[in-house]
Amino acid sequence: MSRTFFVGIDLAWGYRRPDGVCVMESKGSQVVLREITLSQGDQALLSTLEGYRSSGACLVAMDAPVICPNTSGARPVDRVASKWFASYKCGCYPANRSQHPRPPDLARKITQLGFSLNPSAKHSLFEVYPHPTMVRWFGLCLLYTSPSPRDRQKSRMPSSA
Protein backbone atom coordinates (compact mmCIF):
# COMPACT_ATOMS: atom_id res chain seq x y z
CA MET A 1 0.00 0.00 0.00
CA SER A 2 1.49 3.35 -0.99
CA ARG A 3 1.83 6.02 1.65
CA THR A 4 1.14 9.71 1.19
CA PHE A 5 2.14 12.35 3.70
CA PHE A 6 0.74 15.87 3.87
CA VAL A 7 3.05 18.30 5.64
CA GLY A 8 2.00 21.79 6.67
CA ILE A 9 4.72 24.24 7.67
CA ASP A 10 3.94 27.42 9.59
CA LEU A 11 7.26 29.03 8.80
CA ALA A 12 8.97 31.50 11.08
CA TRP A 13 10.41 33.88 8.50
CA GLY A 14 13.54 34.38 10.59
CA TYR A 15 15.77 32.05 12.59
CA ARG A 16 15.02 32.95 16.21
CA ARG A 17 11.58 31.33 16.53
CA PRO A 18 10.72 27.72 15.73
CA ASP A 19 8.65 26.61 12.75
CA GLY A 20 5.36 24.79 13.33
CA VAL A 21 5.05 21.46 11.53
CA CYS A 22 1.95 19.29 11.15
CA VAL A 23 2.11 15.93 9.35
CA MET A 24 -0.86 13.84 8.28
CA GLU A 25 -0.88 10.51 6.46
CA SER A 26 -3.52 9.02 4.18
CA LYS A 27 -4.69 5.61 5.32
CA GLY A 28 -7.22 4.20 2.90
CA SER A 29 -10.13 6.61 2.85
CA GLN A 30 -9.00 8.39 6.02
CA VAL A 31 -6.30 10.89 6.91
CA VAL A 32 -4.64 10.47 10.30
CA LEU A 33 -2.52 12.87 12.28
CA ARG A 34 1.09 11.70 12.48
CA GLU A 35 2.90 14.57 14.14
CA ILE A 36 2.55 18.14 15.39
CA THR A 37 5.84 19.65 16.44
CA LEU A 38 8.07 22.67 16.55
CA SER A 39 11.23 22.58 14.49
CA GLN A 40 14.18 24.88 15.16
CA GLY A 41 16.19 25.89 12.11
CA ASP A 42 16.50 24.76 8.52
CA GLN A 43 18.50 21.59 9.15
CA ALA A 44 15.95 20.17 11.60
CA LEU A 45 13.10 20.97 9.22
CA LEU A 46 14.94 19.45 6.24
CA SER A 47 15.64 16.27 8.23
CA THR A 48 11.94 15.95 9.08
CA LEU A 49 10.94 16.40 5.43
CA GLU A 50 13.57 13.93 4.22
CA GLY A 51 12.23 11.29 6.60
CA TYR A 52 8.72 11.55 5.20
CA ARG A 53 9.87 11.91 1.58
CA SER A 54 11.80 8.67 1.83
CA SER A 55 8.73 6.85 3.24
CA GLY A 56 6.22 7.70 0.51
CA ALA A 57 4.72 10.51 -1.53
CA CYS A 58 5.01 13.81 0.30
CA LEU A 59 3.12 17.05 -0.34
CA VAL A 60 4.46 20.07 1.55
CA ALA A 61 2.41 23.24 2.01
CA MET A 62 4.38 26.20 3.37
CA ASP A 63 2.84 29.52 4.40
CA ALA A 64 5.70 31.52 2.96
CA PRO A 65 7.01 32.40 -0.51
CA VAL A 66 8.53 29.48 -2.36
CA ILE A 67 9.15 31.57 -5.49
CA CYS A 68 10.43 35.07 -4.81
CA PRO A 69 12.44 36.54 -7.69
CA ASN A 70 12.29 40.15 -6.50
CA THR A 71 15.00 41.67 -4.33
CA SER A 72 12.79 44.54 -3.12
CA GLY A 73 9.15 45.57 -2.99
CA ALA A 74 6.33 43.04 -3.18
CA ARG A 75 5.57 40.24 -5.60
CA PRO A 76 2.69 40.95 -8.00
CA VAL A 77 0.71 38.03 -6.50
CA ASP A 78 1.01 39.59 -3.03
CA ARG A 79 -0.29 42.93 -4.30
CA VAL A 80 -3.28 41.28 -6.00
CA ALA A 81 -4.16 39.17 -2.93
CA SER A 82 -3.90 42.23 -0.70
CA LYS A 83 -6.19 44.17 -3.02
CA TRP A 84 -8.79 41.38 -3.12
CA PHE A 85 -8.85 40.97 0.65
CA ALA A 86 -8.29 44.59 1.78
CA SER A 87 -11.88 44.91 3.00
CA TYR A 88 -11.16 42.02 5.41
CA LYS A 89 -7.92 43.65 6.63
CA CYS A 90 -6.18 40.61 5.23
CA GLY A 91 -3.07 41.48 3.26
CA CYS A 92 0.22 39.88 2.34
CA TYR A 93 3.61 40.84 3.64
CA PRO A 94 5.70 42.40 0.87
CA ALA A 95 7.87 39.34 0.28
CA ASN A 96 11.30 39.99 -1.18
CA ARG A 97 14.74 38.41 -0.93
CA SER A 98 16.51 41.36 0.68
CA GLN A 99 14.17 41.77 3.68
CA HIS A 100 13.07 38.14 4.04
CA PRO A 101 15.72 35.81 2.58
CA ARG A 102 14.83 32.68 4.59
CA PRO A 103 11.62 31.55 2.81
CA PRO A 104 13.04 31.41 -0.74
CA ASP A 105 16.38 30.05 0.54
CA LEU A 106 14.57 27.28 2.42
CA ALA A 107 12.40 26.54 -0.64
CA ARG A 108 15.58 26.11 -2.69
CA LYS A 109 16.98 23.70 -0.07
CA ILE A 110 13.72 21.72 -0.06
CA THR A 111 13.80 21.37 -3.85
CA GLN A 112 17.41 20.16 -3.56
CA LEU A 113 16.04 17.29 -1.41
CA GLY A 114 14.00 16.16 -4.40
CA PHE A 115 10.79 18.13 -3.95
CA SER A 116 9.28 19.76 -7.03
CA LEU A 117 7.39 23.03 -7.40
CA ASN A 118 5.06 21.07 -9.69
CA PRO A 119 2.00 20.26 -7.50
CA SER A 120 1.33 17.00 -9.37
CA ALA A 121 4.79 15.59 -8.60
CA LYS A 122 5.16 12.71 -6.12
CA HIS A 123 7.09 15.01 -3.79
CA SER A 124 5.95 18.60 -4.10
CA LEU A 125 6.33 21.91 -2.32
CA PHE A 126 3.82 24.69 -2.71
CA GLU A 127 2.97 28.01 -1.10
CA VAL A 128 -0.26 28.56 0.79
CA TYR A 129 -1.77 31.65 2.32
CA PRO A 130 -4.16 30.43 5.06
CA HIS A 131 -5.68 33.75 6.14
CA PRO A 132 -7.73 34.40 2.95
CA THR A 133 -8.80 30.75 3.03
CA MET A 134 -10.19 31.18 6.53
CA VAL A 135 -11.98 34.34 5.39
CA ARG A 136 -13.52 32.69 2.32
CA TRP A 137 -14.35 29.25 3.70
CA PHE A 138 -15.27 30.01 7.30
CA GLY A 139 -16.09 33.72 7.32
CA LEU A 140 -13.33 34.32 9.86
CA CYS A 141 -11.48 37.59 9.89
CA LEU A 142 -8.43 37.31 12.12
CA LEU A 143 -6.53 40.49 12.78
CA TYR A 144 -2.82 40.01 13.35
CA THR A 145 -2.22 42.91 15.67
CA SER A 146 -0.98 43.14 19.20
CA PRO A 147 -3.72 43.84 21.73
CA SER A 148 -3.75 47.27 23.26
CA PRO A 149 -2.81 47.57 26.96
CA ARG A 150 -6.51 48.14 27.68
CA ASP A 151 -7.52 44.94 25.86
CA ARG A 152 -4.80 42.98 27.68
CA GLN A 153 -6.14 44.30 31.00
CA LYS A 154 -9.70 43.24 30.05
CA SER A 155 -8.52 39.72 29.17
CA ARG A 156 -7.03 39.33 32.68
CA MET A 157 -10.24 40.35 34.46
CA PRO A 158 -12.39 37.46 35.68
CA SER A 159 -15.69 37.20 33.89
CA SER A 160 -18.85 37.78 35.85
CA ALA A 161 -20.90 34.74 34.98
Side-chain angles (χ1 to χ4, degrees), residues 27-76:
K27 293 228 179 199
S29 62
Q30 297 182 336
V31 176
V32 296
L33 180 64
R34 286 289 306 261
E35 177 179 10
I36 295 178
T37 190
L38 295 175
S39 178
Q40 188 69 50
D42 290 358
Q43 197 52 51
L45 185 56
L46 293 169
S47 293
T48 297
L49 294 179
E50 176 58 28
Y52 287 107
R53 188 193 68 77
S54 64
S55 299
C58 190
L59 308 174
V60 178
M62 185 165 72
D63 71 337
V66 297
I67 299 172
C68 190
N70 53 308
T71 56
S72 63
R75 302 176 302 167

Side-chain angles (χ1 to χ4, degrees), residues 62-124:
M62 185 165 72
D63 71 337
V66 297
I67 299 172
C68 190
N70 53 308
T71 56
S72 63
R75 302 176 302 167
V77 67
D78 296 333
R79 287 194 296 271
V80 170
S82 292
K83 182 179 175 184
W84 284 355
F85 289 93
S87 64
Y88 299 98
K89 296 183 170 64
C90 179
C92 296
Y93 290 116
N96 62 65
R97 290 192 324 262
S98 61
Q99 288 184 325
H100 305 289
R102 184 174 184 227
D105 287 348
L106 180 60
R108 180 185 46 77
K109 291 174 186 176
I110 293 171
T111 59
Q112 289 172 346
L113 281 180
F115 287 83
S116 172
L117 298 181
N118 177 346
S120 63
K122 181 178 178 182
H123 307 297
S124 64

